[in-house]
Amino acid sequence: MDASAHASPQGHALVTAATRIAERIGEVETRSEWFEGAIASADFGVLIVDTAGTIVFANPVAQRYVGARHGDAVAELQLQRVIADVTKHRRNVRTEVELYTPSRRVIGLRGVPLESDKGVPTGAAVFLEDLTARHRIDAIRKDFVANASHELKTPLGAMRILAETLAASDDPRTRQRLADRLFTETTRMSRLVDDILDLSLVEGTTGDAAPVPIDEVVTEAIKQVEILSDETGVPLESTPAGPTVVISGDRRQLVSALSNLLENAIKYTLPYTTVEVRLTADATDAQIVVRDSGRGLDSHELAHAFDPFWRGSDNATGGAGLGLHLVRELVE
């Protein structure tokens, strides 16, 4: 006989209440597991302490700085200071610490006080984040702005002097020579502005991938540098891959990358020698090779070839050093 058949209404109520409590506990435990799983997989450190400053939880990233040795011990010392400050004064704390283990790293620490729903202090949480990449990008941007400002001032200053001299001269030959120089400096500044705008567009978008015939990319890129090719007497030769070779990418960015590569090759190759564009493809990959007859770069120079505003020791083209940097940014 089923014993529950003789249970009192109060007994049924207790069983129901106990069942609901058990279900609620199960839900809380499940949510707690979800929470801990999410925090454990985070790429930043999370550390929680009680009111006495004792660590009660630390995810894997934060554990690196608990009982740390060598360079990380410096971060642990700063971590202890943040914990002491937050738990004692009940205020938000934000600081950074530099580590050299062996390369330079910057770790950001942010401490916040914790309290219950009733406003009773329960401890503190400290978040640790690796800010190395952010600091490096900020430094690059500062250098870029400084270099761009300098590069823009140079042709602008020259244009002003040329314009003033041109206005004061009555000699036709002198005026023509100054006008030619003025045109050269204007072209130089225009190219620099175009490169800076292209870089800003690259940083702001990843491009729209779509099927693009590789031969069309090469044809458009060659058209963009035809004037420079004619001026320098450096012809371009290309080997087509065929209309069936189609790649996935942003058409405008692909053309821009290749045209900048071609422009660099034309500027630094030997006069009246050919710049070759060779295309090869198989079932999965396509390759564009640009070959010129320039002297190339020394090993110590090669490491900087794609840096912004970097120019080789024999730079005589008047370029700002953004072309190859733009190529790298577009490719990446």
Side-chain angles (χ1 to χ4, degrees):
M1 180 178 294
D2 186 1
S4 63
H6 298 284
S8 65
Q10 292 84 355
H12 280 295
L14 288 173
V15 171
T16 301
T19 303
R20 290 177 178 174
I21 291 173
E23 291 175 350
R24 188 59 184 271
I25 291 175
E27 292 175 0
V28 171
E29 290 177 346
T30 299
R31 291 178 181 177
S32 177
E33 291 175 358
W34 289 346
F35 173 77
E36 290 187 9
I39 295 299
S41 61
D43 58 359
F44 55 88
V46 179
L47 185 143
I48 298 176
V49 300
D50 58 20
T51 53
T54 303
I55 298 173
V56 296
F57 174 83
N59 73 343
V61 176
Q63 288 173 5
R64 174 176 179 174
Y65 304 101
V66 178
R69 300 178 61 187
H70 306 299
D72 289 341
V74 177
E76 182 179 21
L77 179 61
Q78 188 64 39
L79 175 62
Q80 293 172 350
R81 291 172 179 170
V82 170
I83 292 173
D85 195 358
V86 177
T87 53
K88 180 179 180 180
H89 300 288
R90 310 300 302 166
R91 64 184 181 187
N92 292 348
V93 176
R94 188 186 296 268
T95 187
E96 295 179 1
V97 59
E98 293 187 13
L99 307 177
Y100 295 88
T101 56
S103 59
R104 177 179 178 271
R105 289 188 297 133
V106 181
I107 306 299
L109 297 92
R110 183 168 64 93
V112 295
L114 300 177
E115 58 184 30
S116 67
D117 294 339
K118 298 180 179 179
V120 178
T122 58
V126 181
F127 304 95
L128 302 94
E129 183 179 6
D130 192 331
L131 304 177
T132 307
R134 187 183 303 175
H135 276 246
R136 183 169 61 249
I137 291 172
D138 288 343
I140 291 173
R141 285 177 176 170
K142 289 179 181 178
D143 289 342
F144 183 88
V145 171
N147 286 322
S149 300
H150 173 74
E151 293 294 338
L152 284 170
K153 286 179 180 179
T154 302
L156 279 173
M159 288 166 62
R160 179 178 179 180
I161 295 173
L162 289 168
E164 291 174 350
T165 308
L166 180 62
S169 175
D170 294 327
D171 180 54
R173 292 184 179 180
T174 301
R175 291 176 66 87
Q176 182 59 52
R177 179 172 55 83
L178 292 171
D180 291 342
R181 284 284 310 279
L182 189 60
F183 176 79
T184 300
E185 293 297 333
T186 304
T187 303
R188 176 185 175 187
M189 188 175 69
S190 177
R191 287 178 178 174
L192 175 59
V193 171
D194 287 342
D195 287 344
I196 292 175
L197 290 175
D198 284 342
L199 279 174
S200 66
L201 289 174
V202 170
E203 292 179 352
T205 178
T206 56
D208 298 319
V212 183
I214 193 171
D215 281 348
E216 294 183 8
V217 172
V218 174
T219 300
E220 290 185 36
I222 289 177
K223 285 183 178 179
Q224 291 189 8
V225 296
E226 278 182 344
I227 295 178
L228 180 62
S229 174
D230 294 339
E231 289 177 349
T232 56
V234 176
L236 294 165
E237 290 184 1
S238 64
T239 304
T244 59
V245 180
V246 178
I247 59 179
S248 177
D250 184 287
R251 186 190 195 98
R252 184 193 63 80
Q253 291 188 349
L254 288 167
V255 172
S256 179
L258 183 56
S259 64
N260 274 277
L261 196 59
L262 288 172
E263 183 176 328
N264 182 270
I266 293 171
K267 286 180 177 179
Y268 291 97
T269 197
L270 297 175
Y272 306 107
T273 59
T274 301
V275 169
E276 177 189 0
V277 185
R278 188 173 71 249
L279 293 86
T280 58
D282 56 28
T284 57
D285 297 298
Q287 185 180 59
I288 302 175
V289 176
V290 176
R291 185 185 301 276
D292 63 64
S293 61
R295 76 165 184 87
L297 295 172
D298 297 332
S299 58
H300 69 278
E301 292 182 313
L302 191 60
H304 302 285
F306 295 95
D307 292 347
F309 296 103
W310 183 86
R311 284 162 289 197
S313 57
D314 65 343
N315 176 64
T317 66
L322 285 176
L324 290 183
H325 176 66
L326 180 59
V327 172
R328 184 185 68 178
E329 293 297 309
L330 286 165
V331 170
E332 290 181 347

